[in-house]
Amino acid sequence: MAHSTVPTPTRPTTSDSIAQALSVAIHEHKIAPGTKLGEDELAEIYGVSRTVVRAALQTLAHMKLVDIRRNRGASVASPSIKEAHEVFEARELLEPRTARSAAKYATSSDIALLERHISDEHAALDAADPGRALYLSGLFHTEIARIAQQATIAGFIDTLIARSSLIIALYWRRESALCEKHAHHALVQALAKKDEQQAEELMRSHLVDLHSALDLRERNGRTQSLKDALSQ
Amino acid sequence: MAHSTVPTPTRPTTSDSIAQALSVAIHEHKIAPGTKLGEDELAEIYGVSRTVVRAALQTLAHMKLVDIRRNRGASVASPSIKEAHEVFEARELLEPRTARSAAKYATSSDIALLERHISDEHAALDAADPGRALYLSGLFHTEIARIAQQATIAGFIDTLIARSSLIIALYWRRESALCEKHAHHALVQALAKKDEQQAEELMRSHLVDLHSALDLRERNGRTQSLKDALSQ
DNA sequence: CAAACAGGCATTGTATACAACTTTGTGTCC
DNA sequence: GGACACAAAGTTGTATACAATGCCTGTTTG
């Protein structure tokens, strides 16, 4: 789970570790939406048989990170505009409540962990590695869900964040560059103060900001599906 | 997807249809929590190879319907008391909002479909098939999520309802026999009237009723884990 | 007699082989 | 010259074979 992403040369790789590696690579925008994920290709990369690769791909398909079509194989999912709205609406429903819960349960070590996440994120941004920054930004939300001690909802949020990464890859508009910066920091402060109301409200506005920073207008001339066709 | 549940004699069975058949069987309480699901056993039942069965089991594991432990095989999940609380808390967070949305979008044919679901459910109860009634009751909630036109959240609700079926199998207390009866009917009326507020409130109270109809106190002497040990 | 170890048995994890389907390229016919 | 048809290549779906792990039982020893 360190820096190694796609290669992961030799290990007692179970299918889950391959799924994890692919997931991180997608999170970091090292693999673009629509990219074909051939079974033989992955099997050779990871030094395992197609059996294991198929299991990993199935796991990712369940999170909606990859699309598997019968006899057509797997490719990185490219969420539609409707799906993008749905994902962020779901996040706006789940995460504010989760942030409130996190404010109730957060310990001082949790706060410290979150602050390290933020500084890692900034470091990645300074290192001109926006993909990694995005991945860490997602981990921040995942971590809050974990702190809230609702494993079930945390699982849902995990998949929503994963899909958000794909959505951002497809629909992010550069104009809204400095989107959050200190939004996460303010949230951590609310958690540290155990201010449930503020944590909930900060999370809600943070997500609304993210949602509105996407360009989710239908492209003229179906540029979208053309792009998909090209990337396949 | 008709009445046939476990056997499903011969068909171009893909792994998904096997997962579906097992899912229905679990929903209908034909397979108890903790039951071992051997790969060879299922492969013979459905007339396919273990490869296909494994894929189906993996799908069910993603929904938390079965537990897969490495080198130990798969068995029907038996949610802990903590998980039971989490599942119903998640439902109480998601479904009222979904019911509100459903009230907005419900068409007359949707209403008719829901009413048929209710009468089917009552018919199953009259036929002394409480398992099937429970399955249909779950379908009712699934259907509302579909009507709400939020596929993402609907997917979450599907897995929550599936897990609820396991929770009810484990923790239902007979005392609270006539739990709902007309709760679903009242909900449909609110949807038909497009009364969003009432639909949301009815769903919330319905779920609170369900939640409180469970016996989620810790058993004395760990009866729970003993039962698990026996059923394995 | 109880506890612990060892061996056999059963089941799962992984790899490979084969079958089926999709796709792509070529050829022929209109 | 274009369109349809067929064939070949490559990829996925499924089955089977083998390896590895865990479980159970029978024996042995303190």
Side-chain angles (χ1 to χ4, degrees), chain B residues 70-140:
Chain B
R70 186 176 174 86
N71 288 320
R72 303 271 194 89
S75 47
V76 179
S78 47
S80 68
I81 288 172
K82 174 166 176 50
E83 285 173 306
H85 278 298
E86 279 189 2
V87 166
F88 274 87
E89 282 163 13
R91 289 187 65 173
E92 285 159 24
L93 176 54
L94 289 176
E95 293 202 60
R97 188 74 64 98
T98 302
R100 167 183 285 274
S101 204
K104 185 156 55 181
Y105 294 116
T107 68
S108 57
S109 69
D110 288 332
I111 302 296
L113 182 63
L114 288 175
E115 278 170 349
R116 274 196 43 194
H117 262 294
I118 290 176
S119 67
D120 285 354
E121 193 181 331
H122 286 190
L125 271 179
D126 293 341
D129 190 351
R132 178 136 199 103
L134 179 65
Y135 170 63
L136 292 169
S137 166
L139 269 186
F140 180 85

Side-chain angles (χ1 to χ4, degrees), chain B residues 185-201:
Chain B
H185 188 66
L187 195 45
V188 169
Q189 284 187 316
L191 295 180
K193 284 188 302 181
K194 298 209 169 298
D195 187 336
E196 299 185 21
Q197 187 61 37
Q198 193 184 11
E200 180 170 348
E201 196 48 50

Side-chain angles (χ1 to χ4, degrees), chain A residues 73-90:
Chain A
S75 46
V76 179
S78 47
S80 68
I81 288 171
K82 175 166 177 49
E83 285 175 305
H85 277 300
E86 280 189 2
V87 165
F88 273 89
E89 282 163 14

Side-chain angles (χ1 to χ4, degrees), chain A residues 1-9 11 20-21 24-25 28 30 132:
Chain A
M1 212 192 289
H3 262 230
S4 65
T5 54
V6 175
T8 313
R11 254 200 290 179
Q20 177 67 19
V24 172
E28 294 185 347
K30 293 199 168 130
R132 179 136 199 102

Side-chain angles (χ1 to χ4, degrees), chain A:
Chain A
M1 212 192 289
H3 262 230
S4 65
T5 54
V6 175
T8 313
T10 51
R11 254 200 290 179
T13 40
T14 173
S15 70
D16 284 334
S17 66
I18 293 179
Q20 177 67 19
L22 281 172
S23 171
V24 172
I26 293 172
H27 269 275
E28 294 185 347
H29 290 183
K30 293 199 168 130
I31 314 179
T35 305
K36 178 71 190 293
L37 299 172
E39 295 180 359
D40 269 320
E41 192 181 352
L42 292 172
E44 187 159 6
I45 290 173
Y46 291 106
V48 295
S49 76
R50 280 177 47 217
T51 310
V52 179
V53 170
R54 280 178 72 87
L57 289 175
Q58 196 180 332
T59 298
L60 295 173
H62 186 265
M63 304 197 260
K64 304 288 185 70
L65 265 179
V66 315
D67 250 21
I68 297 182
R69 284 170 305 180
R70 185 175 174 86
N71 288 319
R72 302 272 193 88
S75 46
V76 179
S78 47
S80 68
I81 288 171
K82 175 166 177 49
E83 285 175 305
H85 277 300
E86 280 189 2
V87 165
F88 273 89
E89 282 163 14
R91 289 187 65 173
E92 285 159 23
L93 177 54
L94 288 176
E95 293 201 59
R97 188 74 64 97
T98 302
R100 170 183 283 274
S101 204
K104 186 157 55 181
Y105 294 116
T107 68
S108 57
S109 70
D110 289 331
I111 302 296
L113 182 63
L114 287 175
E115 278 170 349
R116 274 197 42 195
H117 263 293
I118 290 176
S119 66
D120 286 354
E121 194 180 330
H122 286 190
L125 270 178
D126 292 343
D129 190 352
R132 179 136 199 102
L134 179 64
Y135 170 63
L136 292 169
S137 165
L139 269 185
F140 180 85
H141 287 252
T142 294
E143 202 61 33
I144 286 179
R146 188 194 56 77
I147 291 168
Q149 301 204 1
Q150 300 236 26
T152 301
I153 291 176
F156 294 157
I157 290 176
D158 279 351
T159 81
L160 290 173
I161 286 166
R163 295 175 73 181
S164 295
S165 174
L166 292 173
I167 290 164
I168 288 170
L170 287 171
Y171 301 111
W172 189 257
R173 47 181 184 189
R174 296 179 175 278
E175 300 90 45
S176 60
L178 56 152
C179 51
E180 33 187 291
K181 270 300 185 193
H182 63 305
H184 284 185
H185 187 65
L187 195 44
V188 170
Q189 284 186 316
L191 295 180
K193 284 188 303 183
K194 298 208 170 298
D195 186 336
E196 299 185 19
Q197 187 61 36
Q198 193 185 13
E200 180 171 346
E201 196 47 51
L202 282 172
M203 180 63 92
R204 190 190 319 279
S205 64
H206 174 41
L207 287 171
V208 169
D209 282 351
L210 278 178
H211 193 162
S212 64
L214 299 172
D215 181 13
L216 294 180
R217 297 305 108 201
E218 297 284 348
R219 299 294 204 286
N220 46 352
R222 293 201 160 279
T223 313
Q224 182 48 41
S225 56
L226 177 64
K227 176 177 179 180
D228 279 356
L230 289 175
S231 56
Q232 273 180 8

Side-chain angles (χ1 to χ4, degrees), chain B residues 36 38-39 50 54 71 73:
Chain B
K36 178 71 189 293
E39 295 181 358
R50 280 177 48 217
R54 281 177 72 86
N71 288 320

